[in-house]
Amino acid sequence: MSNAFLLRHPPFLRFWLGQTASSLAYQMLVVGLGWQMYSLTHSALSLGLIGLAQFLPQLLLTLIAGHVADQHDRRLVVVVCRTVLALVMAVLAWANLAGQLSPALIYGCGALLGATRAFEGPATQALLPKLVMPEQLSKALALAAGTREATVIAGPALGGLVYLAGASWLYGASVLGFALSAAVLLALPHQHQAPPKEPVSLARLFSGIHHIRQNPVVLGAISLDLFSVLLGGATALLPIVAKDILHTGPWGLGLLRSAPALGALLMSVWLARFPLERRVGRKMFAAVALFGLATIAFGLSENLWLSLAALLVLGASDMVSVIVRSTLIQLETPDAMRGRVSAVNYIFIGTSNQLGEFESGLTAAWFGVVPAIVVGGLGTLLVVALWMKAFPALSERDRLTA
């Protein structure tokens, strides 16, 4: 069914191919950067600084990127961003071949990656709704999300294999992936209707936040995801759980890390075949509640296979929430504002993931690993109950298309 949908929608097929190539290139790259940095420095802190170097530019530039996505051809914005990503990878490949690769250069390239992805993210999210009909958007989002989860599973493994031939080969493969993605999207038949040019101002940059505040359905969906991930970010503690509770080795940790992505992938395939049609608001709340219950089960488990099952459910339930939230955001937002609203959503997603990992680590240091995970799951259930009362418009939403 998914293949038939792709073939019936050539513009979305091109978009999907471009996303697949880009996501696979990035997931491969993450393996190479981390491994090479640790080989150069033998410092765990240096690994964390790579993530910080990418996160800070994203945080600082994303609102500006939303303005750019609404003022210019989003297709060209994405093409330029992925061309820049290919050039950054080429610099890393050249520096490695020349023996000039240093931690400072990796940090610098990481900052460029973060800055480029800050512009790429909102433009990509805002581009998709113009490629399919509104009633087909949830299916398209499910296919795109499923592909992303598949690359999260396959990309690091493929990157590790390519790295065996040398880091330059890995960076070269990433160059190819980003360049292929840019070429595919450049041929995308997307008609851009240029809006009246407006100067950059604080009011315009924050207009996406204002729009979300005025729309209880969108505000409820985004904030529900934010606080549930903040409280339920148990995956940050997987190394400790694997070693000290489940008493397994690196192979077990690898399975645990793959389980949420596998659950999300399976659910995305299901939703692409059977899209949500009725009572979508209550189904979103039920999915987030199931996310909290799966988190509690994972925290209490002392068996590897039970933990894997809990993480599978966790990933699958999260995917339901992601699809509903993403679809509602796009359909409840005028096209002229989709870039700015997508930018705010992009910030919330990145912030919740980053702060969720920090919250899990902090509470684990205070109370212990198991209490931290269980309390996070209970907190998610409490958020669901409070949000159902606070956002009745979201809870009572029947269909994705208003």
Side-chain angles (χ1 to χ4, degrees), residues 26-314:
Y26 182 76
Q27 293 301 329
M28 292 170 61
L29 168 67
V30 169
V31 173
L33 281 182
W35 187 271
Q36 192 153 44
M37 175 61 83
Y38 193 71
S39 298
L40 291 170
T41 65
H42 302 286
S43 167
L45 177 61
S46 63
L47 297 178
L49 290 177
I50 295 177
L52 184 64
Q54 295 185 61
F55 176 69
L56 288 178
Q58 287 182 331
L59 183 63
L60 295 174
L61 294 174
T62 301
L63 289 180
I64 298 175
H67 168 81
V68 171
D70 284 336
Q71 288 289 294
H72 302 279
D73 186 341
R74 293 159 183 164
R75 174 182 59 91
L76 291 180
V77 172
V78 178
V79 168
V80 170
C81 287
R82 292 185 180 163
T83 302
V84 172
L85 290 172
L87 292 175
V88 174
M89 295 303 97
V91 169
L92 287 171
W94 171 83
N96 186 72
L97 284 173
Q100 301 296 317
L101 194 62
S102 65
L105 181 60
I106 293 178
Y107 291 140
C109 289
L112 283 173
L113 285 172
T116 305
R117 285 168 64 83
F119 286 88
E120 177 196 24
T124 302
Q125 291 180 27
L127 175 63
L128 178 55
K130 300 289 287 184
L131 304 178
V132 295
M133 299 296 291
E135 62 271 15
Q136 299 166 333
L137 182 58
S138 64
K139 179 177 288 190
L141 285 169
L143 285 172
T147 301
R148 182 177 63 249
E149 297 299 335
T151 60
V152 169
I153 297 172
L158 181 59
L161 290 175
V162 176
Y163 195 92
L164 293 176
S168 296
W169 284 94
L170 177 61
Y171 298 137
S174 294
V175 170
L176 181 62
F178 287 127
L180 177 62
S181 175
V184 169
L185 292 180
L186 187 61
L188 191 66
H190 173 61
Q191 297 296 324
H192 172 66
Q193 296 180 347
K197 296 298 180 183
E198 298 184 30
V200 180
S201 65
L202 288 178
R204 181 165 177 80
L205 291 181
F206 285 91
S207 59
I209 296 177
H210 177 74
H211 174 80
I212 291 172
R213 288 180 58 189
Q214 299 301 313
N215 190 316
V217 171
V218 175
L219 177 60
I222 290 180
S223 57
L224 175 64
D225 180 80
L226 170 66
F227 285 102
S228 62
V229 173
L230 275 176
L231 295 170
T235 54
L237 303 175
L238 286 181
I240 302 174
V241 171
K243 182 177 180 181
D244 297 339
I245 297 177
L246 302 179
H247 306 292
T248 185
W251 66 273
L253 176 59
L255 291 176
L256 291 171
R257 285 200 177 279
S258 298
L262 179 58
L265 173 62
L266 294 175
M267 179 55 69
S268 68
V269 172
W270 175 266
L271 292 176
R273 178 66 179 84
F274 303 102
L276 298 174
E277 295 183 353
R278 303 299 300 271
R279 297 193 297 175
V280 295
R282 291 193 176 275
K283 287 177 180 177
M284 180 180 186
F285 279 109
V288 177
L290 184 58
F291 178 90
L293 292 173
T295 300
I296 295 172
F298 174 72
L300 296 175
S301 172
E302 296 182 357
N303 178 272
L304 175 61
W305 302 109
L306 178 59
S307 296
L308 288 171
L311 289 175
L312 277 169
V313 174
L314 184 149

Side-chain angles (χ1 to χ4, degrees), residues 9 15 34 74 150 227 254 298 323 333 344 347 378:
H9 300 82
F15 176 87
R74 293 159 183 164
F227 285 102
F298 174 72
I323 296 300
T333 304
V344 177
I347 291 176
L378 292 172

